[in-house]
Amino acid sequence: MAEQKLAAEVRTEFGKGFARRARMEGLIPAVIYGHGAEPIHITLPSKSTTLAVRRANALLTLDINGEKHLALVKDIQRDPIKQIIEHLDLLTVRTGEKVTVDVPVHVTGELAPGNVFNQEMTTVSLEAEATHLPTAVEVSIEGRTAGEHIHASDLVLPKGSVLLADAEALVVHISEATEVSEEEASADTTEGSSVAEAPAE
């Protein structure tokens, strides 16, 4: 995963009033913590930061008063309606340090005809180097048939990553596709039409 470089400014103001003013000025309030050090409260440029954190577990290289800080995005607080970023929690990390992250699981490939799959696990917990975090773990369902199960232990992990999730946890289950009979489909359509055409009281 490539590092995202951002210029940060230390802040001494807090509270909702400050946060609102900062966002109006194109800044995002954030805090860096970890390694037993005192938290560092900063602001980040909104546009470039929003682009940088689009991927899960984004690794940021922050320039704070000329000093380089490596930080991993641990929590993003967003406005529930506008979905703009309101605040970031960042974990300070060091090169070569191992960290625990939840990585998205992406299903690839095509099943054998007449089958469907149900993805039970959308993320998997891994331990990996902070500066070499995987962006996703892929699981192939190519040619698989009904009755097959893919567990966490079956996942092919990126080099240097260690599985922390339960090895027996179910990731994907394959089953036969359920076909809806023509009579059932016709009945559903007729019922829907009757409801739609019923006169208003």
Side-chain angles (χ1 to χ4, degrees), residues 35-89:
H35 294 297
E38 287 293 320
I40 304 175
H41 298 273
I42 60 174
T43 56
L44 296 166
S46 179
K47 186 176 181 179
S48 53
T49 301
T50 299
L51 292 173
V53 303
R54 286 182 301 176
R55 289 185 175 181
N57 306 310
L59 182 65
L60 308 179
T61 300
L62 306 178
D63 183 340
I64 305 176
N65 296 329
E67 293 186 1
K68 178 182 176 181
H69 291 257
L70 277 179
L72 186 66
V73 177
K74 294 302 291 183
D75 185 60
I76 301 177
Q77 298 171 27
R78 299 180 185 272
D79 180 284
I81 299 176
K82 298 179 181 178
Q83 286 299 301
I84 60 174
I85 297 177
E86 295 187 326
H87 189 274
L88 290 175
D89 285 354

